[in-house]
């Protein structure tokens, strides 16, 4: 048997023999010499596109969200005018002239032409303007009568 003064990385134990050490559960680790019991084992940092769920370890981000990895406990929604697929470490900007709401872009096709959005807004504005004109006309007529 080899005598060791500290356990190797990812193992815990109170013994002085390397064979007395126990490996941390899958996905968990502990620094060399820092663990004497299983509760000393902590989740390892996640990869990009994953977040740390304290109950199960690393989990994948959904489409429209991203994570740079590490020990972050949730994924971040993509900003407006950007999109991402599942397990994304970053978001991709929509092509010029196309838009999508924050966290709503899951693929490039979700980015809609901003001219379509402006046309819809203009239609709403016109209907409001015509209502306002009618009201002004009635007010004018009522004021004259």
């Amino acid at each position: 048997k080899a005598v060791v003064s500290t356990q190797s990385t990812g193992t815990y134990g109170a013994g002085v023999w390397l064979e007395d050490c126990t490996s941390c559960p899958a996905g968990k680790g502990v620094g060399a010499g820092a663990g004497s019991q299983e509760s000393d084992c902590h989740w390892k940092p996640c990869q990009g596109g994953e977040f740390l769920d304290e109950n199960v370890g690393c989990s994948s981000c959904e489409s429209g969200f991203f994570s740079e990895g590490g020990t972050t406990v949730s994924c971040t929604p993509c900003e407006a005018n950007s999109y991402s697929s599942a397990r994304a470490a970053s978001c991709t900007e929509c092509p010029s002239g196309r838009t999508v709401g924050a966290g709503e872009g899951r693929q490039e096709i979700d980015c809609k032409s901003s001219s379509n959005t402006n046309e819809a807004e203009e239609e709403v504005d016109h209907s409001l303007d015509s209502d306002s004109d009618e009201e002004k006309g009635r007010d004018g007529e009522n004021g004259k009568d």
Side-chain angles (χ1 to χ4, degrees), residues 4 15 22 38 70 77 84 94 99-100:
V4 293
T22 303
E38 185 176 337
S84 74
C94 289
T99 63
V100 67

Side-chain angles (χ1 to χ4, degrees), residues 13-44:
V16 294
W17 303 102
L18 183 58
E19 290 81 9
D20 293 336
C21 296
T22 303
S23 293
C24 288
K28 290 188 173 186
V30 65
S36 60
Q37 54 193 4
E38 185 176 337
S39 62
D40 293 329
C41 299
H42 299 284
W43 289 109
K44 293 179 181 177

Side-chain angles (χ1 to χ4, degrees), residues 123-142:
E123 287 176 21
V124 171
D125 289 341
H126 289 301
S127 66
L128 292 175
D129 288 343
S130 63
D131 288 345
S132 298
D133 290 342
E134 288 174 16
E135 287 177 9
K136 287 178 188 174
R138 278 182 279 191
D139 290 342
E141 292 172 8
N142 291 339

Side-chain angles (χ1 to χ4, degrees), residues 91-138:
C91 299
T92 304
E93 286 189 38
C94 289
S96 181
R98 297 188 175 271
T99 63
V100 67
E104 296 176 3
R106 285 150 176 68
Q107 53 188 359
E108 187 176 331
I109 197 167
D110 293 333
C111 301
K112 304 297 181 195
S113 173
S114 58
S115 63
N116 290 343
T117 304
N118 290 338
E119 288 172 12
E121 288 174 1
E122 287 175 14
E123 287 176 21
V124 171
D125 289 341
H126 289 301
S127 66
L128 292 175
D129 288 343
S130 63
D131 288 345
S132 298
D133 290 342
E134 288 174 16
E135 287 177 9
K136 287 178 188 174
R138 278 182 279 191

Side-chain angles (χ1 to χ4, degrees), residues 69-83:
T71 56
T72 186
V73 296
S74 65
C75 296
T76 303
C78 291
E79 293 182 5
N81 306 325
S82 63
Y83 63 94

Side-chain angles (χ1 to χ4, degrees), residues 37-68:
Q37 54 193 4
E38 185 176 337
S39 62
D40 293 329
C41 299
H42 299 284
W43 289 109
K44 293 179 181 177
C46 299
Q47 298 178 0
E50 298 178 334
F51 69 97
L52 181 59
D53 179 326
E54 288 291 334
N55 296 314
V56 298
C58 296
S59 296
S60 297
C61 295
E62 296 179 17
S63 297
F65 293 78
F66 75 98
S67 170
E68 294 177 357

